[in-house]
Amino acid sequence: MFAGVDTHKDTHYVAIVDDHGQPIADREFLAVGSGYRKIIEFLHAYGIVETVGVEGTGSYGAELARVLANAGMRVVEVTRANRAERRLRGKSDPLDAHQAAMSVLAGRGLSTPKQRDGDVESMRVLLAERSSATKARTASINQIHALLVSAPEAIRQDFRRYDGNKLTVVLSRTRPTPGTIPELILRASAKRLALRHQVLTADIALIDGQLGQLASRQNPALIAASGVGPFFAAHLLATAGDNPDRISTKA
């Protein structure tokens, strides 16, 4: 028999079919620890389930895929639904779960999910955090430049000779003094943006250090290669995943 799971934030819907595609059973479970245990019991209650197809193993189905794999079941990711069937019968969790099971039976639209339980998963989390920190840092320096471009000449003259990190350092050390309300607010806003830029820079440096440690532990030869730093090494390792054997071709 084969099973398919339609995953959501709060619930998962499981369907089982036999090797002829005939529906055997289906049921909805809560997406919590007790629900995962009940899913395993549900699958075992109907005999030997050869393969379980899970939708969204990189999001809502990540923990379920781990639990099923640890229980000794073969888990595959169902990458697409049967659109023709959905157009004819509409969107429903039972239908999606059944179509996932049929995809497993037919061997179409399947891939090996990433395990997401080792150093590489930690790198993925850090890379996502670094990406948002980098975008926020860039936004802060762009806002500083935009403020200074339209600032009164007295303010622009104070910071005209500074740029980049030097500008943020100087701005972070300023002490806005009472003056006209617009000038006071502009100086105070520029200082806060500069402080934000420095905090984000420190965060990115910390993340890069952690990425370097993880990459060196996972693949020291890669991090030692000329021109490969912790950021790019982590990107390559995150792409491969903790189970690179799922990648079947050199391409």
Side-chain angles (χ1 to χ4, degrees), residues 5-16:
V5 187
D6 181 35
T7 61
H8 300 279
K9 179 180 178 181
D10 299 315
T11 60
H12 297 332
Y13 206 97
V14 183
I16 303 175

Side-chain angles (χ1 to χ4, degrees), residues 1 14 43 49 58 64 78 88 90 104 115 117 141 144 149 156 158 167 199 207 210-211 216 231 241:
M1 291 182 291
V14 183
L43 295 174
V49 176
L64 176 61
V78 180
L88 290 172
V104 175
Q115 290 176 346
D117 58 359
I141 192 65
I144 290 173
V149 163
R156 285 189 286 126
D158 290 343
L167 175 61
V199 170
I207 292 169
Q210 292 177 317
L211 287 174
S216 296
F231 177 69

